[in-house]
Amino acid sequence: MITAAIIEDDPMVREINKRYLEKDGRIDEIHTFQNGTEALAFLAANEVSLILLDVYMPKLNGFEFLKTLRSKSIFSDVILVTAANDFASMEKALQLGALDYLVKPFEYKRFTQALDKFFFKQKMHEKLRMPLSQKEADELFSSQESLNPEPFIKGIQSRTLEVIKKFLVQHKGEKFSGTELAKQIGLSRVTVHKYLNYLETQKFLNTEIDYETDGRPRLLYFTSESQDE
């Protein structure tokens, strides 16, 4: 039996995702949760094949939930369904083993494509004792292609990188959004985000999600007080 869990704090989005799963028809049983804490309690005693997971949630955000899930050796497949559309979030999802990443709002067709990846992987589980063809291997890993950080790394210029690193080192411990940093340094927001994402992959800076905003949560960047120059 194929079971799914939807973890989403917005009741309207939670219901839409549930209807999409029901419309697809391939999931036998669906459970819904309004936060990660509730879901973890359920998963501790129940096996779930697939999890649809939001990122921006109170109590326990999606990445914290996913880290906790893996630390408990629960290896349900996870599809991120979120408004988090920055590269750092997508890369974190990849590093934590997410199967796919859907940015809200998305079309039903894209939703079914994510489910197709899940069911293809389920099919591959049945063939674990058999060698895979190159085509099957390509399909299995295709979900990672859109999260590949290589195009960003190729566009990194050393002079611009040093300007941003110098600013961050001079403001150790202070937290900035990408937009705030762009204004401070005098570069475009897109450029600054590209370099911040790169610096995070190099473990030069840290990030945290700021929920205390009037609108949608935002990602903050900062270097620790112990960060070497």
Side-chain angles (χ1 to χ4, degrees):
M1 183 170 70
I2 303 296
T3 59
I6 300 170
I7 308 173
E8 167 65 62
D9 63 323
D10 187 321
M12 183 176 69
V13 176
R14 192 165 61 243
E15 181 61 24
I16 290 173
N17 291 342
K18 183 173 183 289
R19 289 180 182 179
Y20 275 180
L21 284 178
E22 291 172 339
K23 181 179 179 180
D24 180 82
R26 288 179 285 180
I27 301 295
D28 301 303
E29 188 174 284
I30 304 169
H31 304 274
T32 61
F33 304 93
Q34 62 182 349
N35 61 64
T37 303
E38 289 182 1
L40 283 174
F42 178 84
L43 290 166
N46 299 274
E47 185 174 338
V48 169
S49 313
L50 175 66
I51 297 172
L52 302 185
L53 178 65
D54 188 19
V55 172
Y56 296 138
M57 295 186 295
K59 296 184 180 180
L60 192 69
N61 71 49
F63 295 127
E64 294 167 342
F65 171 86
L66 195 45
K67 289 177 182 178
T68 303
L69 194 72
R70 298 316 187 205
S71 71
K72 295 180 180 295
S73 297
I74 299 174
F75 297 106
S76 306
D77 282 312
V78 176
I79 296 174
L80 271 294
V81 181
T82 177
N85 60 357
D86 58 284
F87 178 76
S89 294
M90 295 181 186
E91 186 176 42
K92 281 183 181 179
L94 176 59
Q95 293 171 344
L96 292 170
L99 182 67
D100 207 342
Y101 197 102
L102 302 182
V103 179
K104 303 174 186 175
F106 52 85
E107 297 179 352
Y108 176 69
K109 180 179 179 181
R110 180 63 182 86
F111 185 87
T112 59
Q113 289 173 348
L115 290 182
D116 287 343
K117 292 180 184 180
F118 165 71
F119 281 102
F120 178 81
K121 187 175 179 181
Q122 290 290 305
K123 181 181 178 181
M124 289 300 101
H125 284 168
E126 301 172 5
K127 297 185 176 183
L128 285 178
R129 298 178 183 273
M130 302 168 56
L132 298 182
S133 68
Q134 183 63 59
K135 180 180 179 181
E136 289 171 326
D138 290 343
E139 290 183 45
L140 185 59
F141 282 90
S142 63
S143 62
Q144 299 184 18
E145 291 178 0
S146 63
L147 302 180
N148 187 354
E150 186 63 23
F152 289 92
I153 296 174
K154 287 181 179 178
I156 297 299
Q157 301 297 320
S158 60
R159 183 174 298 179
T160 304
L161 182 64
E162 287 306 312
V163 168
I164 296 174
K165 288 176 65 176
K166 182 178 179 180
F167 178 87
L168 290 168
V169 169
Q170 290 174 342
H171 296 81
K172 286 180 182 178
E174 296 183 46
K175 299 174 183 179
F176 300 90
S177 69
T179 300
E180 290 169 342
L181 277 167
K183 291 180 180 179
Q184 291 279 350
I185 299 173
L187 296 171
S188 74
R189 182 173 60 86
V190 173
T191 296
V192 168
H193 272 290
K194 177 173 67 174
Y195 283 82
L196 290 174
N197 293 331
Y198 172 76
L199 287 172
E200 187 182 8
T201 67
Q202 301 302 303
K203 312 299 181 184
F204 181 83
L205 51 73
N206 304 303
T207 62
E208 70 176 38
I209 298 174
D210 176 22
Y211 293 101
E212 298 180 3
T213 62
D214 294 331
R216 54 172 288 186
R218 61 179 185 166
L219 195 66
L220 299 179
Y221 301 85
F222 61 96
T223 53
S224 65
E225 295 291 346
S226 60
Q227 177 68 51
D228 294 331
E229 296 191 22

